[in-house]
Amino acid sequence: MFDLSGEVAVVTGGNGGLGLAFCRGLVKQGSKVAIWGRNEEKNAAAVSELQGMGGDVEAFACDVTDQSQIDEAFAQTLARFEKVDSCFANAGGGGYRGPSHMTDRQVWLNTIDLNLMSVVQTWKPVTAHLMERQAPGRLIVTSSVAGLVGTGGAAGYSTTKAAVLGLVRALAVELGQAGIRVNAILPGYIETEMSLDTPQSFKDGAKRRAAIGRIGKLEDMEGVAAFLASKESDFMTGQNIVLDGGHSIFPL
């Protein structure tokens, strides 16, 4: 089960945090992985780690807000691996933190570009490739529980993470009969290198609200990546997979 031998996955932002956790899960099941990331030092470190696990992995420099860089990274990926079977549009960011009425238009547009348009742009060449091959494929996006619940002071982040859920549903309908499945992963609070400066009070609150009594670890992200990239997920499309330890359903 979840045998990904011979499969090729693209993971944007796969050089750290959630993206690297997805890569670990994919490599453990035999998938080849193409990492797209801006930081070449982190790219090299991620490739070294995953190759140490026995993975066939390569990284390509790419800013996912730039369509020309995406197209170049995709061309390099095809030259190296010859095909793509699944694509994890994981790269993104928190955007502006503060009152929404004090956020100017360009800041909103920057957040939309980073968290929504980057997904559209990343999936564009992958979808065309899958349609041309007439091959089944899988498109996955990293959304957030923030796309389902209110997060005061982070309206841009919440809005864009909710927007990709609409994109997932629309594309699931559009691409379903072509054999392309489209789904979203919605993590809750997960301990990553990006969360090191998170206030302890927030961490304590997240743990207290979790139905299972703890906050998330990167290892918790590995299995869902393998599942969504595998044929075992073929009957699932247009869905939101919430991984938050029960935080979003816990009563106040």
Side-chain angles (χ1 to χ4, degrees):
M1 188 172 286
F2 302 170
D3 181 6
L4 300 177
S5 301
E7 298 280 302
V8 179
V10 167
V11 183
T12 69
N15 58 13
L18 299 177
L20 182 53
F22 296 152
C23 291
R24 292 182 186 119
L26 295 166
V27 164
K28 287 178 180 179
Q29 301 305 316
S31 179
K32 302 174 184 178
V33 176
I35 292 171
W36 296 1
R38 292 183 299 178
N39 187 315
E40 295 196 26
E41 184 176 339
K42 289 180 65 178
N43 284 352
V47 168
S48 178
E49 176 189 333
L50 295 167
Q51 287 179 342
M53 296 169 56
D56 186 355
V57 181
E58 191 156 338
F60 304 96
C62 181
D63 180 341
V64 293
T65 64
D66 185 330
Q67 185 71 62
S68 65
Q69 290 192 38
I70 289 172
D71 292 341
E72 177 61 23
F74 185 69
Q76 292 175 324
T77 299
L78 288 187
R80 170 67 169 79
F81 294 108
E82 299 184 345
K83 65 169 184 169
V84 170
D85 299 295
S86 60
C87 180
F88 289 75
N90 167 73
Y96 174 77
R97 298 291 176 135
S100 60
H101 69 281
M102 297 178 64
T103 308
D104 65 34
R105 183 174 187 273
Q106 190 57 53
V107 172
W108 273 96
L109 292 176
N110 291 345
T111 305
I112 291 169
D113 203 28
L114 178 59
N115 288 341
L116 174 59
M117 290 311 302
S118 68
V119 180
V120 174
Q121 293 170 171
T122 296
W123 283 351
K124 181 179 179 180
V126 176
T127 301
H129 166 72
L130 292 169
M131 297 285 280
E132 183 178 350
R133 285 174 56 207
Q134 296 184 326
R138 296 157 189 91
L139 305 178
I140 302 99
V141 63
T142 303
S143 179
S144 170
V145 169
L148 299 179
V149 301
T151 52
Y157 180 76
S158 294
T159 299
T160 51
K161 291 302 184 180
V164 295
L165 302 182
L167 177 66
V168 162
R169 290 190 290 272
L171 292 187
V173 174
E174 182 177 318
L175 302 174
Q177 293 192 36
I180 301 172
R181 309 297 182 241
V182 192
N183 292 289
I185 301 171
L186 285 67
Y189 178 70
I190 311 294
E191 286 188 306
T192 72
E193 63 266 28
M194 292 180 64
S195 65
L196 293 177
D197 59 351
T198 302
Q200 188 61 45
S201 58
F202 182 92
K203 296 180 182 180
D204 292 342
K207 181 178 179 180
R208 186 170 58 252
R209 286 283 304 277
I212 64 173
R214 68 170 175 86
I215 56 180
K217 301 177 290 186
L218 288 175
E219 304 92 275
D220 296 322
M221 301 292 108
E222 295 181 10
V224 70
F227 169 67
L228 289 176
S230 73
K231 61 182 178 60
E232 280 76 20
S233 65
D234 276 356
F235 200 55
M236 174 181 285
T237 195
Q239 300 304 308
N240 306 331
I241 300 180
V242 178
L243 292 174
D244 68 349
H247 181 278
S248 57
I249 57 90
F250 201 83
L252 289 173

